[in-house]
Amino acid sequence: MGLVVQKYGGSSVADAEGIKRVAKRIVEAKKNGHQVVVVVSAMGDTTDELIDLAEQVSPMPSGREFDMLLTAGERISMALLAMAIKNLGHSAQSFTGSQAGVITDSVHNKARIIDVTPGRIRTALDEGNIAIVAGFQGVSQDKKDITTLGRGGSDTTAVALAAALDAEVCEIYTDVDGVFTADPRVVTKARKIDWIAFEDMLELAASGSKVLLHRCVEYARRYNIPIHVRSSFSGLQGTWVSSEPTRQIQQGDKPVEQAIISGVAHDTSEAKVTVVGVPDKPGEAAVIFRTIADAEINIDMIVQNVSAASTGLTDISFTLPKAEGRKAIDALEKNKAGIGFESLRYDDQIGKISLVGAGMKTNPGVTADFFKALADAGVNIELISTSEIRISVVTRADDVNEAVRAVHTAFGLDSDSDEAVVYGGTGR
Amino acid sequence: MGLVVQKYGGSSVADAEGIKRVAKRIVEAKKNGHQVVVVVSAMGDTTDELIDLAEQVSPMPSGREFDMLLTAGERISMALLAMAIKNLGHSAQSFTGSQAGVITDSVHNKARIIDVTPGRIRTALDEGNIAIVAGFQGVSQDKKDITTLGRGGSDTTAVALAAALDAEVCEIYTDVDGVFTADPRVVTKARKIDWIAFEDMLELAASGSKVLLHRCVEYARRYNIPIHVRSSFSGLQGTWVSSEPTRQIQQGDKPVEQAIISGVAHDTSEAKVTVVGVPDKPGEAAVIFRTIADAEINIDMIVQNVSAASTGLTDISFTLPKAEGRKAIDALEKNKAGIGFESLRYDDQIGKISLVGAGMKTNPGVTADFFKALADAGVNIELISTSEIRISVVTRADDVNEAVRAVHTAFGLDSDSDEAVVYGGTGR
């Protein structure tokens, strides 16, 4: 029995009852002989309430103080959790990110972890304690200031600690049963995935699946830490994310093979910008995307249409978070002369549907079947983008739910279908 | 213009509006040319809410985790205050107790300050910042764990920082205008005291005045740091507490002399325990108060009645916080055989009235006038205890308000009386 890192999100510790329930689960793992390190988020809506307070005193709260403020949330939940565990007769100590040795760079509000030096955690464990660590926070290497890791930071804390402590597994407890073949709120027949490879999970996360964030999966892949995503409200097995199907899964009744298609993800949080009438000459795209990058805007898909020979002009489209739309348009307009385009089009009524699966690399039929499923459902495709293990299309936002369901069914992912569609190849 | 330490209590920063108001006042001090260090408490009822949460998850929250929990409160207020100051165009940095160099012993929930090493504060000031420090908290010297200083801890933080930084003054901002000759809620004619000596303030604090706690005044006296208690809601001068009347006061229109009597304090939070029928022999009192001390109960007044020659038995009475009453009775009953008393009497319907003033040392008439005032008001005295600059009596709780008013008037402290009563001596 080795060391286990467990992470509990805000919804799992939303109130005193939740904290007590989580404490029982942690004690169970300890009783089973594990050394247990727990990473905990702020209770329920605490972080939002703190952000709200900050906005009341200052329209533009500064990085350093904003981080100092937000980290109070985890301080509360971790101390309460340690108390609740002690109340069950087990010893527990809580640690701030700084005390736990989570060393970051100095980029406030979205710091990156540089190093993890968990000496105090190791000592606490060796003395028989359960260690409770504040998620989402660290201390900057140069200035010793408190930092936060940004969105999904607690998951990253958990994976980073698991790597530094050489944990057997990093368990991410959440309010859903695991990773599904599609969003169960859209596709009622979505199936829980028992195991998924890091690469597929990365693509799902990048395509709109909210269960795990890209950054945390990337970290786990780099250090080869198996992640087990599961519900803190049930005792069920969740989804294992790792490089190979794990022992736990292999020991199950049914032999596990990697499905050709892992799942269907969708995302309606993006908008599309089209730069119309760009001279079709080398360097044009570079100027456009340098303009966007200088404005510190992250973009997603990029598509360039074929040039119309008669005019020598082309259109370039890209997608980006809706919240960044205004900024992108402003930046491009400001540099209109430098770029030399005719006009801009902005469209925030779009949605993206992505099909993810390592199997599609060796199965050219997948793409064709994907487009056919969309066509049969009467969904018009506006943009297409592919990677080795993913195909994404942009459609009207109104078509997204229908499109996801159609594709989910077409690829045999529905929970009542006998098995996944099998192509000539073996996947991998 | 030197360095000023300002302390703002929870009621001054109860909401976003309060924080913005306080920020303006801080910026004013900075604009006047001071280096400014601000110690801040948790917002309004935050600490009580956190205690409530702790009790929901654990009936006996442990010291270390309880401290970790409570310190989240100041973290929130200090970060918000720093943001609000920045929003006014001035630079500010917030520091936890640990970052500010407040080093304590390891007694969780009521740690004592061992040392203050404010290197980071000094650097922040030298770089032109306003430094915001979390009150009430520190870090333990040996284990580097977060500690809290117990009741009134933020005032102590402020005075300790003022001493370590060699501040000109420690300003304690609160929701009243200063220290009064009596509680204004009881005595409507109570007068604000312009200046009071450390010693008199210590006696007032020990006698029930809530404005400053004993511990903080003691610390200020030891390091000779002038305290200025004033309202954060008005621009008025408050009460100066120091070894000598300060320049600010001496420059006022009227020359300031120390009044013979500083004020009248009262306290209805105590109960009286009488140990009846104790053998009148050496060592008896020692056994009783060892029993009480071993139960970690702090007591206040002790009175031993004259022994009745016929029986060789005496009664010993003492007062203590009501909350400790049960514990004291239990401890004494448990050791009844060892002590050898007949019975115990417990009375929580008592009140204490204290007259404080350095002048009474050399004025024997004070005591007589004090008792006469009480007699004229028909107030019966149950216990008497004196120090060099204080007389305290215990009465029925119902008589306390009337007694305070009678004494206040008798000693010429009422705001409409021409001047304080003058005795033959000059006071000191």
Side-chain angles (χ1 to χ4, degrees):
Chain A
M1 287 295 187
L3 193 154
V4 170
V5 174
Q6 300 187 329
K7 180 260 171 176
Y8 294 91
S11 58
S12 299
V13 292
D15 53 21
E17 284 316 304
I19 287 173
K20 287 194 262 189
R21 191 188 62 242
V22 164
K24 272 186 206 147
R25 184 178 281 276
I26 293 167
V27 164
E28 236 163 74
K30 171 82 177 169
K31 279 186 186 160
N32 288 339
H34 290 289
Q35 287 194 313
V36 187
V37 175
V38 176
V39 174
V40 67
S41 302
M43 293 170 72
D45 301 324
T46 308
T47 304
D48 289 339
E49 287 163 19
L50 292 174
I51 291 172
D52 187 47
L53 269 174
E55 283 168 355
Q56 285 179 50
V57 302
S58 169
M60 285 188 306
S62 99
R64 181 184 186 278
E65 302 307 327
F66 201 57
D67 281 354
M68 183 69 93
L69 177 73
L70 294 188
T71 52
E74 285 77 28
R75 206 174 181 88
I76 294 170
S77 55
M78 76 188 196
L80 291 171
L81 187 52
M83 289 178 196
I85 291 171
K86 286 196 187 184
N87 198 39
L88 298 175
H90 289 258
S91 51
Q93 288 196 336
S94 69
F95 298 92
T96 64
S98 171
Q99 291 176 336
V102 179
I103 317 288
T104 72
D105 60 22
S106 294
V107 183
H108 284 292
N109 309 163
K110 48 180 179 181
R112 293 195 72 88
I113 295 176
I114 295 174
D115 196 8
V116 180
T117 54
R120 289 187 69 170
I121 303 293
R122 185 68 82 184
T123 304
L125 292 173
D126 289 347
E127 289 172 1
N129 293 293
I130 293 165
I132 315 289
V133 179
F136 176 67
Q137 57 178 257
V139 62
S140 69
Q141 192 167 39
D142 50 353
K143 293 193 187 159
K144 309 291 174 224
D145 281 334
I146 304 303
T147 53
T148 63
L149 307 179
R151 205 162 148 256
S154 291
D155 288 0
T156 308
T157 302
V159 171
L161 272 171
L165 292 163
D166 199 20
E168 228 170 49
V169 57
C170 179
E171 296 183 337
I172 307 277
Y173 285 90
T174 176
D175 51 4
V176 296
D177 284 333
V179 181
F180 280 73
T181 50
D183 185 335
R185 286 167 300 186
V186 173
V187 181
T188 50
K189 292 178 177 174
R191 274 201 296 227
K192 194 191 73 191
I193 299 171
D194 291 328
W195 172 78
I196 183 171
F198 285 129
E199 291 73 17
D200 289 30
M201 191 64 233
L202 280 175
E203 290 284 1
L204 279 181
S207 307
S209 169
K210 303 280 190 303
V211 185
L212 284 179
L213 287 183
H214 193 273
R215 179 180 178 192
C216 141
V217 180
E218 205 171 50
Y219 207 110
R221 180 172 66 156
R222 195 180 326 140
Y223 293 96
N224 198 21
I225 300 294
I227 295 178
H228 186 186
V229 185
R230 59 197 302 195
S231 167
S232 73
F233 296 84
S234 77
L236 301 175
Q237 283 279 315
T239 300
W240 286 81
V241 187
S242 61
S243 53
E244 305 262 314
T246 58
R247 197 170 44 83
Q248 282 88 337
I249 293 294
Q250 288 170 334
Q251 285 172 344
D253 288 340
K254 287 181 286 184
V256 171
E257 293 168 39
Q258 182 173 18
I260 288 172
I261 301 300
S262 291
V264 185
H266 72 276
D267 189 351
T268 51
S269 69
E270 297 193 334
K272 180 177 70 170
V273 173
T274 303
V275 188
V276 179
V278 180
D280 190 7
K281 59 174 199 229
E284 267 311 299
V287 178
I288 289 172
F289 293 107
R290 167 53 52 200
T291 303
I292 296 298
D294 287 348
E296 293 192 4
I297 296 164
N298 286 319
I299 57 172
D300 179 22
M301 294 165 71
I302 302 177
V303 178
Q304 179 170 349
N305 298 353
V306 173
S307 169
S310 55
T311 60
L313 295 178
T314 186
D315 299 342
I316 296 182
S317 296
F318 59 89
T319 63
L320 78 178
K322 281 177 187 166
E324 308 266 34
R326 185 75 256 157
K327 215 163 47 156
I329 296 293
D330 287 351
L332 290 170
E333 282 291 357
K334 229 167 138 185
N335 200 23
K336 186 170 183 178
I339 303 169
F341 57 85
E342 287 181 347
S343 64
L344 294 176
R345 265 188 243 137
Y346 181 73
D347 180 355
D348 61 6
Q349 297 301 309
I350 62 160
K352 185 174 72 168
I353 300 105
S354 303
L355 185 69
V356 173
M360 72 175 66
K361 273 197 277 203
T362 48
N363 288 292
V366 170
T367 307
D369 288 353
F370 180 56
F371 292 154
K372 180 164 190 305
L374 292 171
D376 287 351
V379 173
N380 192 41
I381 299 172
E382 304 190 6
L383 295 177
I384 302 170
S385 153
T386 60
S387 82
E388 277 201 75
I389 60 172
R390 177 184 51 78
I391 315 172
S392 301
V393 296
V394 167
T395 68
R396 287 294 86 202
D398 290 343
D399 288 339
V400 164
N401 289 359
E402 185 51 34
V404 171
R405 283 189 285 265
V407 171
H408 198 265
T409 303
F411 282 88
L413 295 170
D414 289 355
S415 52
D416 57 5
S417 91
D418 280 347
E419 53 183 322
V421 170
V422 175
Y423 290 84
T426 55
R428 60 161 187 186
Chain B
M1 287 293 187
L3 192 154
V4 170
V5 174
Q6 300 187 331
K7 180 260 170 177
Y8 293 91
S11 58
S12 300
V13 293
D15 52 21
E17 284 316 304
I19 288 172
K20 287 195 262 189
R21 191 187 61 241
V22 164
K24 272 186 206 146
R25 184 177 282 277
I26 293 167
V27 164
E28 236 164 74
K30 171 81 177 170
K31 279 187 187 159
N32 287 339
H34 291 287
Q35 286 194 312
V36 188
V37 175
V38 177
V39 174
V40 68
S41 302
M43 292 170 73
D45 301 324
T46 308
T47 304
D48 288 340
E49 286 163 18
L50 292 175
I51 291 172
D52 187 48
L53 268 175
E55 283 167 355
Q56 284 180 52
V57 300
S58 169
M60 285 189 305
S62 100
R64 181 184 187 278
E65 302 307 327
F66 201 57
D67 281 354
M68 184 69 94
L69 177 73
L70 294 189
T71 52
E74 285 77 28
R75 208 175 180 86
I76 294 170
S77 53
M78 76 188 197
L80 291 171
L81 188 51
M83 289 178 197
I85 291 171
K86 286 196 188 183
N87 198 38
L88 297 176
H90 290 258
S91 50
Q93 285 196 336
S94 69
F95 297 92
T96 64
S98 171
Q99 291 176 336
V102 179
I103 316 289
T104 72
D105 61 22
S106 292
V107 184
H108 284 291
N109 309 161
K110 46 181 179 180
R112 293 195 72 88
I113 295 175
I114 295 174
D115 195 10
V116 180
T117 54
R120 288 187 70 171
I121 304 292
R122 185 69 82 183
T123 304
L125 293 173
D126 290 346
E127 290 171 1
N129 292 293
I130 294 165
I132 315 289
V133 179
F136 175 67
Q137 58 179 257
V139 62
S140 70
Q141 193 168 39
D142 50 353
K143 292 193 186 159
K144 309 289 173 227
D145 280 335
I146 303 304
T147 53
T148 64
L149 307 179
R151 206 164 146 253
S154 291
D155 288 1
T156 309
T157 302
V159 171
L161 271 171
L165 292 163
D166 198 20
E168 230 171 47
V169 57
C170 180
E171 298 184 335
I172 307 276
Y173 285 91
T174 176
D175 51 3
V176 296
D177 284 334
V179 181
F180 281 74
T181 51
D183 186 337
R185 285 167 302 185
V186 173
V187 181
T188 50
K189 292 177 176 173
R191 274 203 294 229
K192 194 193 72 191
I193 299 171
D194 290 330
W195 172 77
I196 184 170
F198 284 129
E199 291 74 16
D200 290 29
M201 191 64 232
L202 280 174
E203 290 285 0
L204 280 180
S207 306
S209 169
K210 303 281 189 301
V211 184
L212 284 179
L213 287 184
H214 193 272
R215 180 179 178 194
C216 141
V217 181
E218 205 171 49
Y219 206 111
R221 181 172 66 155
R222 194 179 328 141
Y223 292 95
N224 198 21
I225 300 295
I227 295 179
H228 186 187
V229 186
R230 57 197 304 195
S231 166
S232 72
F233 295 85
S234 77
L236 301 175
Q237 283 279 314
T239 299
W240 285 80
V241 188
S242 60
S243 53
E244 305 263 314
T246 57
R247 195 167 48 81
Q248 283 87 338
I249 293 294
Q250 289 170 332
Q251 286 173 343
D253 289 339
K254 287 181 285 184
V256 171
E257 292 169 41
Q258 182 172 17
I260 287 172
I261 301 299
S262 290
V264 185
H266 73 277
D267 190 351
T268 51
S269 70
E270 297 194 335
K272 180 176 70 170
V273 173
T274 304
V275 189
V276 179
V278 179
D280 189 7
K281 60 173 204 237
E284 266 312 300
V287 178
I288 289 173
F289 292 107
R290 168 53 52 200
T291 303
I292 296 296
D294 286 349
E296 293 192 5
I297 296 164
N298 287 317
I299 58 173
D300 179 22
M301 294 166 72
I302 302 177
V303 178
Q304 178 170 350
N305 298 353
V306 174
S307 168
S310 55
T311 60
L313 295 178
T314 186
D315 299 343
I316 295 181
S317 297
F318 59 89
T319 61
L320 78 178
K322 281 178 189 167
E324 308 267 33
R326 187 74 256 159
K327 212 162 50 156
I329 296 293
D330 287 350
L332 290 170
E333 282 292 358
K334 229 167 138 183
N335 200 23
K336 186 170 184 177
I339 302 170
F341 57 85
E342 286 180 350
S343 63
L344 294 175
R345 266 187 242 137
Y346 182 74
D347 180 356
D348 62 3
Q349 296 301 310
I350 62 161
K352 186 174 71 167
I353 300 105
S354 303
L355 186 68
V356 172
M360 70 175 67
K361 273 198 277 205
T362 49
N363 288 292
V366 170
T367 307
D369 289 354
F370 180 56
F371 292 153
K372 179 162 190 306
L374 291 170
D376 289 350
V379 173
N380 192 42
I381 299 172
E382 304 189 6
L383 293 178
I384 301 170
S385 153
T386 60
S387 81
E388 278 201 73
I389 59 172
R390 176 184 52 78
I391 316 173
S392 300
V393 296
V394 166
T395 68
R396 288 291 86 201
D398 289 345
D399 289 338
V400 164
N401 288 359
E402 185 51 35
V404 171
R405 282 189 286 264
V407 172
H408 199 265
T409 303
F411 282 88
L413 295 169
D414 289 356
S415 52
D416 57 4
S417 92
D418 280 349
E419 52 183 321
V421 170
V422 175
Y423 290 83
T426 55
R428 58 162 189 185

